[in-house]
Amino acid sequence: MSMLMLDMTDKALKLRVPFTVQLDLTYRCNERCVHCYLDHDDHGEMNTAEIKKLLKELADAGVFILVLSGGEIMLRKDIFEILEYARELTFCIKLKTNAMLIGDHEADRIRELGVESVQVSIYSHRAEVHDAITKVQGSLERSVKAIRFLKSKGLKVIIANVLMKQSAQDYPGVQALAKELGVEATLDPTVTPMMDGDRGNLALNIDENALREVFRDTGLVADVDKFCAVPEKAGDDTLDFIPCSAGHSAAYVSPYGDVYPCVQFPLPSGNVRQKKFIDIWNYSDELNEVRSIRVRDLPNCSACGNITTCTRCPGLAYMEGNMRGPSTQDCEKSYARTGIESVNLQKKKAGASAGLVQIRGLGGNSTLVNIQAVAAMGEGASA
Amino acid sequence: MSGKLYLARNKSVAARLLGDEMMLMSGKDSTLFSLNPVASIIWNAADGATPLDEIVASRICPEFDIEAEEALRDAETFARELAGHGILQVSDEPIARPASTQQEPK
């Protein structure tokens, strides 16, 4: 990110302007990725007129970066009408897509409409692995072909690669593919829980050893010693920081008009079908609660040795049950980086070491054998 | 400046007012620019039909304590610099806008 962009983001934060908004146009999708956090049925997505009305409200609210995502955005028949209107409103437009429906003609139009970048999900350079994740035969070939179209028009393309158990060894291949295509590649080692709270897909997360290897890969990390160093102790300035830009200068809107602090932070804060976006942004109790939180208000994390470098996501913490609590996935990432175990991980381990079988009295002579400790240990090992 | 100069905003540029600064991002290479209040006035007035000297005389000089000649010189330098980045079109004749005219950024 350029220094000017950092300055602008900082200024937006101080002015409390929603600088970046992700709008999911649909949850429908032509892939069925094994790790996806969405329900792909259409429960009443906004129509063209509603989307246009919202875009105008977002522009009026000061939104600069508009991320259009899904589901698969190209499944919307009005996608180019939406893009044309977004262009008229002078957004910086970024698209997230699997690109399977982007051919030469679509790539031309996307270029004409001044889209800043197109992010395409690629999980492996091997078709048998990628296609098994998307559950669509031929999907890698189609996505790569679309990337070539987009690139040939001069568009900036970014490959997004989510690391999972089944693709953990393939990220160097994806990086090489990106290089061959002349595009950027990003790597995300975090599988997000389902938006309905189901955490079953977290079993797909790569394990601790794989994480440790990724964080020490000199092909990915410029200065491994610095990146994995024991963090500096938190000073007062760190404790006064906000934990994340979600709800401060960033927001998310679902295809049904629900406003959340972030796509990964499903705290319902209002609906644009009932209220103007700016009124939700300014006056929502939920967003104001998110904004009130500083690092020092996080009971476990504020005293953690990793606090100055941890990528703790308040949305993942919220999905674990407490927006002020720890995000176990980030505790594990920090541990893999620095070797410092968070209080949260220590507690989980202590809970797990209580034994596989616990017996507590139910009054009289009866006993209940439960498997709580087994569940706790399983969660700690898989996430 | 020898003759009239006309400016038009490039339709692929992203633009938004943040506080008192106008943010622009080039659609060509994603370069980000931040315009001060004077430059923002020129950007907003760049409709392809109003000549630069008129923009300076009617919208800049009355608001800022600056001589017209000096302001026009600075404005032309600024306009040509943005044109170099594909942010503005510059011409010595009025510039026709496409049917779908880009709205003035908020």
Side-chain angles (χ1 to χ4, degrees):
Chain A
M1 195 184 279
S2 70
M3 283 306 292
L4 185 53
M5 183 58 96
L6 285 172
D7 284 350
M8 291 295 120
T9 309
D10 192 45
K11 187 172 179 181
L13 208 76
K14 284 177 183 144
L15 295 171
R16 209 210 275 173
V17 169
F19 191 75
T20 304
V21 165
Q22 176 169 326
L23 168 60
D24 278 1
L25 295 172
T26 180
Y27 284 161
R28 290 174 289 129
C29 195
N30 49 358
E31 289 183 334
R32 285 291 178 273
C33 299
V34 293
H35 64 293
C36 186
Y37 52 86
L38 294 173
D39 159 12
H40 295 301
D41 292 332
D42 177 3
H43 299 286
E45 60 194 38
M46 287 185 280
N47 62 28
T48 314
E50 287 175 308
I51 295 278
K52 284 184 167 181
K53 179 173 170 283
L54 171 61
L55 290 179
K56 182 72 171 67
E57 288 180 12
L58 295 178
D60 290 347
V63 174
F64 182 54
I65 297 174
L66 176 71
V67 182
L68 296 176
S69 184
E72 174 46 48
I73 54 170
M74 298 304 292
L75 286 176
R76 285 216 43 147
K77 294 194 187 321
D78 55 0
I79 181 65
F80 286 109
E81 189 177 346
I82 290 168
L83 285 176
E84 277 168 20
Y85 190 59
R87 176 75 279 125
E88 278 183 38
L89 294 171
T90 68
F91 288 107
C92 168
I93 308 166
K94 297 171 184 269
L95 305 182
K96 292 184 179 180
T97 171
N98 60 39
M100 287 210 301
L101 296 173
I102 295 177
D104 191 49
H105 172 67
E106 288 78 15
D108 257 337
R109 294 207 63 193
I110 290 169
R111 178 64 188 146
E112 281 165 18
L113 289 164
V115 167
E116 194 271 334
S117 62
V118 184
Q119 181 180 298
V120 182
S121 302
I122 300 288
Y123 306 112
S124 169
H125 59 298
R126 293 184 293 153
E128 65 271 26
V129 177
H130 177 92
D131 293 0
I133 288 170
T134 64
K135 296 185 185 171
V136 176
Q137 190 81 26
S139 56
L140 177 67
E141 190 185 344
R142 289 172 67 181
S143 292
V144 169
K145 193 174 173 187
I147 290 173
R148 291 188 201 279
F149 281 134
L150 291 163
K151 187 69 188 157
S152 72
K153 310 297 176 191
L155 276 152
K156 179 175 161 189
V157 181
I158 301 158
I159 285 180
N161 179 15
V162 179
L163 275 186
M164 285 167 267
K165 276 183 178 156
Q166 50 270 69
S167 61
Q169 304 305 315
D170 286 3
Y171 72 85
V174 175
Q175 301 274 325
L177 175 63
K179 197 173 176 187
E180 181 213 318
L181 293 167
V183 304
E184 290 176 36
T186 62
L187 193 61
D188 183 356
T190 309
V191 173
T192 304
M194 298 282 291
M195 280 185 107
D196 64 6
D198 184 343
R199 301 176 70 78
N201 60 349
L202 298 191
L204 299 169
N205 270 311
I206 59 172
D207 65 22
E208 190 183 308
N209 288 333
L211 260 182
R212 198 173 288 123
E213 279 178 30
V214 169
F215 290 150
R216 284 163 183 75
D217 183 338
T218 51
L220 295 172
V221 182
D223 187 343
V224 171
D225 288 343
K226 191 177 171 188
F227 186 71
C228 296
V230 172
E232 287 177 19
K233 204 164 181 276
D236 277 349
D237 53 341
T238 306
L239 296 174
D240 288 333
F241 283 166
I242 58 166
C244 171
S245 64
H248 292 266
S249 63
Y252 166 75
V253 186
S254 82
Y256 314 125
D258 294 313
V259 177
Y260 301 136
C262 171
V263 64
Q264 211 161 255
F265 195 161
L267 171 69
S269 305
N271 188 291
V272 294
R273 281 170 158 159
Q274 286 145 19
K275 278 185 186 172
K276 280 189 169 181
F277 174 82
I278 192 65
D279 290 334
I280 296 169
W281 177 258
N282 283 335
Y283 305 118
S284 149
D285 289 342
E286 293 81 7
L287 290 178
N288 282 326
E289 186 186 357
V290 170
R291 288 177 192 132
S292 73
I293 300 171
R294 295 294 176 273
V295 171
R296 67 172 72 251
D297 302 322
L298 310 175
N300 280 302
C301 302
S302 58
C304 177
N306 287 315
I307 189 62
T308 53
T309 58
C310 182
T311 55
R312 174 189 175 274
C313 169
L316 292 177
Y318 170 76
M319 284 194 267
E320 270 188 66
N322 179 4
M323 70 170 89
R324 292 173 178 78
S327 147
T328 301
Q329 285 168 276
D330 290 301
C331 292
E332 286 166 349
K333 280 190 278 182
S334 285
Y335 180 53
R337 262 175 84 173
T338 68
I340 297 174
E341 219 167 35
S342 68
V343 175
N344 176 42
L345 288 185
Q346 287 169 11
K347 279 183 184 170
K348 282 183 183 289
K349 264 192 183 169
S353 65
L356 293 180
V357 177
Q358 291 182 337
I359 299 174
R360 62 185 166 90
L362 279 178
N365 293 324
S366 61
T367 58
L368 170 70
V369 177
N370 69 38
I371 55 167
Q372 281 179 350
V374 178
M377 197 159 94
E379 185 184 311
S382 67
Chain B
M1 195 166 77
S2 51
K4 298 278 185 192
L5 197 66
Y6 295 86
L7 318 175
R9 297 186 293 273
N10 189 318
K11 69 171 189 162
S12 67
V13 172
R16 195 69 74 225
L17 196 60
L18 180 62
D20 57 357
E21 286 177 278
M22 177 66 72
M23 285 176 297
L24 302 179
M25 187 183 277
S26 159
K28 194 169 73 176
D29 57 10
S30 301
T31 308
L32 188 67
F33 301 86
S34 163
L35 307 187
N36 66 18
V38 178
S40 300
I41 289 174
I42 297 171
W43 165 260
N44 278 327
D47 58 4
T50 314
L52 185 58
D53 59 348
E54 199 177 310
I55 295 170
V56 168
S58 66
R59 302 184 66 171
I60 294 176
C61 290
E63 200 169 325
F64 301 90
D65 186 20
I66 188 165
E67 297 240 349
E69 197 178 330
E70 185 188 348
L72 187 57
R73 205 169 42 240
D74 287 352
E76 186 179 343
T77 305
F78 159 77
R80 292 198 186 283
E81 190 183 332
L82 282 195
H85 289 282
I87 298 277
L88 277 178
Q89 292 176 63
V90 175
S91 171
D92 53 8
E93 289 177 3
I95 302 163
R97 304 307 312 273
S100 174
T101 310
Q102 194 178 33
Q103 297 190 7
E104 190 170 297
K106 295 281 171 187

